[in-house]
C-alpha cells in the first residue's frame, strides 16, 4: 500500500449568485462540497494518485450524497468516521469568491469539530498510508482538535509516514483563546513539507517578515526574502525537507497574478508567473497548488518541475467553478 491520506473537515459551501442573498431578483443559492483537505484529495485523485480522505459525517442522506460525489471523482472514502449530527459549512457572500464579499463560517458543533481520540482508531487510520496531509484549519477549530492532531502526527511520524501541512490562516476560526503561535509550531515539528507563504509562516510559526512588502514589491525581492525565510524555517523545524510558498496578487475581481517558490536545504527555485484577467473561481486554488506539490514530489520530479507543477495546478483551478479542482497543471 502506498496511499496518501488527507485528513480534515468536510464543508458545504453556500454561495449567493450575486453579492447578496436576499436582494437578488431570483433569490438563488448555489451549494458545493468542499473544504481544504477534501479539495486536495479530489485534485490528487484526478491526477491519478491513490488517495484517501477522512472526515466525520453524520449519518444522513446528505452525507451519503457528498461521499458518492467525492468517490466518483476517484477518492477512497472507506475510512470516514460516522459521528455527530451536522456537517459544517461556510457562506460566501459573493459570486465565486471573486469580489470582496464576506465569508461566514458555520462550523461550531459540527461532526468533525467534536471528534475526540476515542472516535478514532489511529492505527487503522494510518494503515497503508505513506503520505499524510493536514492543514492549519483543523487545530484552528478548538483546543481538542489541536490535541487530536498532535496525537495523529506523533503516530504518523513514528511510522515514518511523510507529512505535509498547509499553513492556511483564517482569523475567524482562531476563537478559543489560543493564537496560532501557541499551537502550530508544536505540530509543524512533525512535518516534512511545509506549504504556505511568507506571511502565513510569520503569523503561525513566528518567522520574520518585512512589513514594507506590498503589491509593488518586485518578484526578485520576494524570491530573495523567501530564500531567507526558508533557511529560518529549516533551522526552526529540522525535520522539514521542503518549504513551498505561493505568491498571489489580485487587482480586480477577475484578475490573478500567481507564482510559487520551492526550497530545500540545498536549492531554491522559482516558478514561471501566471496571470489572468478572466478568473472564474478563486476558492481552492491554494489547495490545488498543494495537490500539485504532493503529486510532483511523489513522481520524483526535479525541484524546478515540482514548483512548476504545483503552480500550474493552482493556476488552472481559477477556471473551475466550485471548491474542487480538476487536476490540470499544464
Amino acid at each position: 500500500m502506498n496511499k496518501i491520506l488527507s485528513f480534515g473537515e468536510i464543508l458545504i459551501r453556500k454561495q449567493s449568485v450575486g453579492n447578496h442573498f436576499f436582494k437578488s431578483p431570483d433569490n438563488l443559492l448555489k451549494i458545493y462540497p468542499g473544504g481544504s483537505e477534501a479539495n486536495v484529495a479530489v485534485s490528487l485523485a484526478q491526477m491519478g494518485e491513490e488517495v484517501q480522505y477522512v472526515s466525520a459525517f453524520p449519518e444522513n442522506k446528505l452525507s451519503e450524497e457528498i461521499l458518492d460525489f467525492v468517490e466518483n471523482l476517484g477518492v477512497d472514502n472507506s475510512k470516514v468516521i460516522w459521528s455527530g449530527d451536522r456537517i459544517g459549512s461556510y457562506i460566501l457572500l459573493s459570486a465565486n469568491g471573486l469580489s470582496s464579499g464576506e465569508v461566514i463560517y458555520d462550523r461550531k458543533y459540527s461532526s468533525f469539530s467534536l471528534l475526540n481520540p476515542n472516535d478514532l482508531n489511529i492505527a487503522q487510520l494510518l494503515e497503508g498510508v505513506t503520505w499524510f496531509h493536514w492543514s492549519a484549519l483543523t487545530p484552528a477549530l478548538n483546543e481538542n482538535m489541536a490535541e487530536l492532531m498532535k496525537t495523529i502526527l506523533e503516530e504518523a511520524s513514528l511510522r515514518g509516514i511523510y507529512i505535509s501541512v498547509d499553513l492556511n490562516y483564517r482569523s475567524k476560526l482562531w476563537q478559543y483563546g489560543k493564537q496560532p503561535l501557541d499551537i502550530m509550531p508544536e505540530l509543524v515539528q512533525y512535518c516534512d513539507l511545509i506549504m504556505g507563504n511568507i506571511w502565513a509562516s510569520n503569523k503561525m510559526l513566528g518567522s520574520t517578515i518585512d512589513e514594507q512588502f506590498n503589491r509593488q514589491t518586485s518578484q526578485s525581492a520576494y524570491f530573495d526574502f523567501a530564500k531567507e525565510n526558508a533557511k529560518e524555517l529549516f533551522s526552526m523545524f529540522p525535520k522539514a525537507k521542503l518549504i513551498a510558498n505561493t505568491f498571489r496578487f489580485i487587482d480586480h475581481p477577475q484578475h490573478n497574478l500567481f507564482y510559487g517558490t520551492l526550497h530545500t536545504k540545498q536549492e531554491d527555485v522559482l516558478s514561471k508567473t501566471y496571470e489572468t484577467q478572466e478568473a472564474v473561481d478563486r476558492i481552492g486554488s491554494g489547495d490545488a497548488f498543494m495537490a500539485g506539490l504532493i503529486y510532483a514530489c511523489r513522481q520524483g520530479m526535479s525541484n524546478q518541475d515540482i514548483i512548476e507543477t504545483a503552480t500550474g495546478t493552482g493556476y488552472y483551478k481559477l477556471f473551475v467553478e466550485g471548491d474542487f479542482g480538476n487536476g490540470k497543471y499544464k
Side-chain angles (χ1 to χ4, degrees):
M1 299 286 282
N2 181 24
K3 289 193 175 183
I4 304 163
L5 174 63
S6 189
F7 179 83
E9 184 167 22
I10 190 69
L11 292 173
I12 297 172
R13 167 175 159 187
K14 303 173 183 178
Q15 176 189 307
S16 59
V17 296
N19 291 326
H20 304 277
F21 276 110
F22 305 113
K23 294 181 182 179
S24 167
D26 298 317
N27 196 27
L28 296 177
L29 175 70
K30 291 184 177 182
I31 63 170
Y32 306 90
S36 178
E37 300 82 6
N39 298 344
V40 171
V42 166
S43 286
L44 280 167
Q46 291 180 98
M47 298 173 93
E49 290 285 353
E50 286 192 83
V51 57
Q52 299 175 326
Y53 173 60
V54 174
S55 188
F57 291 81
E59 294 191 46
N60 59 41
K61 290 295 184 182
L62 179 60
S63 298
E64 292 172 11
E65 185 172 339
I66 291 171
L67 287 166
D68 285 345
F69 186 80
V70 172
E71 188 170 315
N72 286 336
L73 293 172
V75 177
D76 177 353
N77 296 317
S78 61
K79 294 179 180 177
V80 299
I81 302 153
W82 296 100
S83 67
D85 299 313
R86 63 186 298 264
I87 296 173
S89 67
Y90 71 99
I91 300 167
L92 189 61
L93 297 177
S94 70
N96 304 317
L98 296 179
S99 72
S100 58
E102 185 179 359
V103 173
I104 300 171
Y105 289 107
D106 182 19
R107 302 173 71 160
K108 200 169 185 180
Y109 308 122
S110 68
S111 293
F112 184 81
S113 71
L114 294 177
L115 282 177
N116 63 68
N118 294 330
D119 296 317
L120 291 173
N121 181 329
I122 294 178
Q124 187 178 63
L125 178 77
L126 298 176
E127 184 180 357
V129 172
T130 57
W131 188 301
F132 180 84
H133 176 67
W134 65 288
S135 87
L137 297 172
T138 297
L141 295 174
N142 56 61
E143 197 161 6
N144 188 57
M145 292 305 300
E147 287 299 319
L148 179 63
M149 280 310 313
K150 183 180 178 183
T151 302
I152 295 171
L153 292 170
E154 284 179 339
E155 182 63 27
S157 186
L158 285 173
R159 290 168 176 255
I161 295 170
Y162 198 98
I163 300 171
S164 59
V165 62
D166 185 342
L167 299 178
N168 31 23
Y169 175 66
R170 304 290 185 271
S171 61
K172 292 181 180 181
L173 292 182
W174 290 90
Q175 300 295 323
Y176 61 94
K178 298 288 186 179
Q179 293 301 311
L181 282 173
D182 299 323
I183 302 292
M184 288 300 296
E186 186 176 12
L187 300 180
V188 171
Q189 68 174 314
Y190 298 104
C191 296
D192 300 278
L193 190 164
I194 303 169
M195 192 283 273
N197 59 55
I198 58 174
W199 297 276
S201 62
N202 166 254
K203 178 70 72 173
M204 296 198 154
L205 304 178
S207 60
T208 56
I209 193 67
D210 188 335
E211 300 290 350
Q212 303 302 310
F213 284 154
N214 56 39
R215 174 69 176 89
Q216 282 67 49
T217 302
S218 68
Q219 185 183 76
S220 61
Y222 276 128
F223 186 34
D224 286 342
F225 186 85
K227 296 176 188 177
E228 297 306 311
N229 173 260
K231 289 178 184 176
E232 187 176 4
L233 291 178
F234 283 130
S235 176
M236 295 165 66
F237 303 101
K239 189 171 185 281
K241 302 172 182 66
L242 288 172
I243 309 291
N245 296 296
T246 58
F247 291 87
R248 292 182 283 177
F249 302 98
I250 302 160
D251 294 329
H252 61 76
Q254 273 70 46
H255 176 262
N256 234 275
L257 187 147
F258 197 105
Y259 60 90
T261 69
L262 183 72
H263 312 270
T264 69
K265 294 174 183 177
Q266 296 80 34
E267 186 178 16
D268 306 277
V269 291
L270 171 71
S271 78
K272 76 175 188 179
T273 300
Y274 291 87
E275 188 167 13
T276 181
Q277 309 289 338
E278 300 175 344
V280 171
D281 194 325
R282 193 172 294 124
I283 305 295
S285 59
D287 303 322
F289 178 99
M290 185 79 243
L293 192 64
I294 295 171
Y295 169 79
C297 287
R298 285 170 62 89
Q299 295 299 309
M301 296 184 186
S302 69
N303 290 330
Q304 189 66 53
D305 286 342
I306 290 171
I307 194 59
E308 298 295 356
T309 301
T311 308
T313 312
Y315 174 74
Y316 284 110
K317 167 58 188 73
L318 296 171
F319 309 101
V320 181
E321 187 174 328
D323 278 40
F324 294 160
N326 60 9
K328 181 179 179 181
Y329 62 92
K330 61 182 178 180

